[in-house]
Amino acid sequence: MAVRYDWETIRAEFEAGATMGTLSRRHGVNKAAISRRARKEGWTADLTDVVNRRAEAKVNGTVNAVDPQKKAAAVEAAAARKAAVISEQREAWGGFKSEVRAALDANDFDRLKCLKIASEALRNAQECERKAWGIQDKAETEVSGGLSITWEK
């Protein structure tokens, strides 16, 4: 009878950085067999996604949250923080828009020049903030049911 190996686990451990030698000893599989399977299925040992997910979990406080209620609370808190960032950014542009209208009404072109420079600085700061929070601009998303958030550049 042929020996069956847990290839899903072997692949997961390989993609998380385990060497073929370690996997061979741990699972009793020949290194050549692991190598053939990895090549055939296109396994990659790129840890970028794994590290990013782990870091996001640590930032959001969901790392060791086995209790579903604790995990849900941590996810809700992280979503609330991101929503607060988005709301704050929208409010900043709302106030900025009022300043531009007032300067236009007063024909204050010096003020408009300053506002143009300020708008570029605000846009750059907000782009950096959005990157730091992992907020991505999308025209439409499946999750939002078509609700879109558009940021003009």
Side-chain angles (χ1 to χ4, degrees), residues 41 77 98 107 153:
E41 295 180 1
S98 300
N107 289 326
K153 292 187 177 188

Side-chain angles (χ1 to χ4, degrees), residues 53 104 124 126:
R53 280 193 306 272
L104 283 169
N124 290 339
Q126 287 187 347

Side-chain angles (χ1 to χ4, degrees), residues 15-35:
E15 290 182 340
T19 66
M20 288 194 192
T22 301
L23 294 171
S24 175
R25 286 187 298 279
R26 185 179 299 151
H27 297 280
V29 182
N30 185 305
K31 285 196 284 188
I34 296 171
S35 180

Side-chain angles (χ1 to χ4, degrees), residues 10-131:
I10 295 169
R11 180 178 184 161
E13 290 177 10
F14 174 81
E15 290 182 340
T19 66
M20 288 194 192
T22 301
L23 294 171
S24 175
R25 286 187 298 279
R26 185 179 299 151
H27 297 280
V29 182
N30 185 305
K31 285 196 284 188
I34 296 171
S35 180
R36 279 192 304 274
R37 186 92 175 215
R39 196 172 29 261
K40 177 182 169 189
E41 295 180 1
W43 297 1
T44 59
D46 182 3
L47 299 177
T48 305
D49 289 337
V50 174
V51 171
N52 287 342
R53 280 193 306 272
R54 183 80 171 152
E56 184 71 24
K58 285 184 177 199
V59 167
N60 292 333
T62 58
V63 174
N64 290 318
V66 176
D67 179 3
Q69 290 176 332
K70 287 182 180 178
K71 187 171 186 173
V75 169
E76 183 61 32
R81 288 191 305 267
K82 280 188 177 184
V85 169
I86 293 169
S87 294
E88 182 181 305
Q89 289 185 354
R90 287 181 180 172
E91 288 173 20
W93 283 111
F96 194 82
K97 195 173 178 181
S98 300
E99 291 287 328
V100 170
R101 283 190 183 136
L104 283 169
D105 290 344
N107 289 326
D108 187 349
F109 295 107
D110 287 332
R111 177 79 177 134
L112 284 169
K113 289 177 191 177
C114 290
L115 289 169
K116 181 182 186 302
I117 294 167
S119 72
E120 292 171 2
L122 180 60
R123 184 189 68 221
N124 290 339
Q126 287 187 347
E127 284 177 8
C128 291
E129 187 174 35
R130 293 175 72 77
K131 284 180 183 177

